[in-house]
């Protein structure tokens, strides 16, 4: 009956996406402040767990030495040093860490996208403790969108299979 149905029900991922409030200008301290506000207002207890950094968190170009997407200095705000430290700060508060990337070589905001770097990015997100990936369909588009989605999905699945969690929470 009802108890079995309630136990089987898994709510959709709920939380905060920085895009609607901050656009391209999110910083980690602002994201942590939002998380703390969710906690103090009871939203965390109600299941709003995902704190997602949308477009604008990364530089225009990839790192010249690692080819990774690099967080902007403004996003890190001198307090955080790596994507892992961002996720750790959110996890320490009981939240999940979400990140944005795009299916093109650029994002909608003309930052470094994931096209041709799907495995590298997925491995970096997995190692950093990212729980949610928003994979946008914009940016430079010289391949069919479904082909890009498949490449990233497979890369994410493989990268997260070797983590203690075994899988990412959510990929959209």
């Amino acid at each position: 009956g009802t108890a079995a149905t309630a136990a089987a029900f898994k709510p959709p991922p709920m939380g905060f996406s920085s895009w609607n409030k901050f656009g391209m200008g999110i910083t980690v301290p602002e994201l942590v402040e939002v998380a703390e506000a969710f906690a103090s207002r009871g939203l965390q207890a109600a299941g709003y767990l995902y704190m997602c950094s949308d477009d604008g968190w990364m530089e225009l170009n990839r790192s010249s030495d690692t080819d990774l997407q690099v967080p902007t200095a403004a996003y890190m705000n001198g307090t955080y040093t790596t994507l892992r430290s961002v996720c750790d700060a959110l996890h320490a508060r009981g939240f999940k860490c979400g990140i944005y990337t795009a299916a093109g070589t650029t994002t909608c905001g003309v930052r470094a996208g994931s096209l041709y770097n799907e495995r590298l990015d997925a491995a970096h997100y997995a190692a950093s403790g990212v729980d949610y990936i928003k994979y946008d369909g914009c940016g430079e588009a010289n391949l069919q969108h479904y082909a890009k989605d498949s490449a990233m999905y497979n890369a994410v699945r493989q990268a997260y299979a070797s983590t203690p969690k075994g899988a990412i929470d959510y990929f959209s």
Side-chain angles (χ1 to χ4, degrees):
T2 306
T5 303
F9 175 73
K10 184 178 179 183
M14 300 183 298
F16 176 78
S17 172
S18 66
W19 185 257
N20 294 322
K21 168 94 173 123
F22 300 102
M24 298 278 292
I26 184 66
T27 67
V28 180
E30 289 168 329
L31 192 64
V32 168
E33 185 178 311
V34 168
E36 290 171 349
F38 270 50
S40 70
R41 289 176 172 84
L43 292 169
Q44 182 181 31
Y48 290 82
L49 301 176
Y50 293 89
M51 294 290 124
C52 302
S53 297
D54 209 292
D55 202 354
W57 71 268
M58 76 289 277
E59 292 285 355
L60 296 173
N61 299 302
R62 292 177 163 272
S63 165
S64 59
D65 56 339
T66 63
D67 209 28
L68 290 173
Q69 291 169 309
V70 180
T72 67
Y75 173 71
M76 297 306 236
N77 198 28
T79 308
Y80 301 87
T81 57
T82 63
L83 185 54
R84 180 74 203 194
S85 67
V86 174
C87 290
D88 286 349
L90 293 170
H91 292 152
R93 289 165 173 81
F95 287 93
K96 304 281 188 150
C97 181
I99 205 74
Y100 167 95
T101 191
T105 55
T106 63
T107 66
C108 297
V110 197
R111 303 294 177 107
S114 288
L115 185 61
Y116 308 124
N117 293 285
E118 292 89 354
R119 287 183 188 206
L120 180 68
D121 290 349
H124 183 224
Y125 300 152
S128 297
V130 170
D131 304 294
Y132 179 114
I133 298 171
K134 176 184 173 184
Y135 193 56
D136 211 337
C138 62
E140 176 272 327
N142 65 354
L143 297 174
Q144 294 297 318
H145 186 68
Y146 68 85
K148 294 182 212 177
D149 285 352
S150 178
M152 188 62 164
Y153 174 78
N154 288 330
V156 166
R157 186 175 43 79
Q158 290 169 1
Y160 278 79
S162 63
T163 66
K165 284 175 49 171
I168 190 164
D169 287 2
Y170 197 73
F171 176 84
S172 69

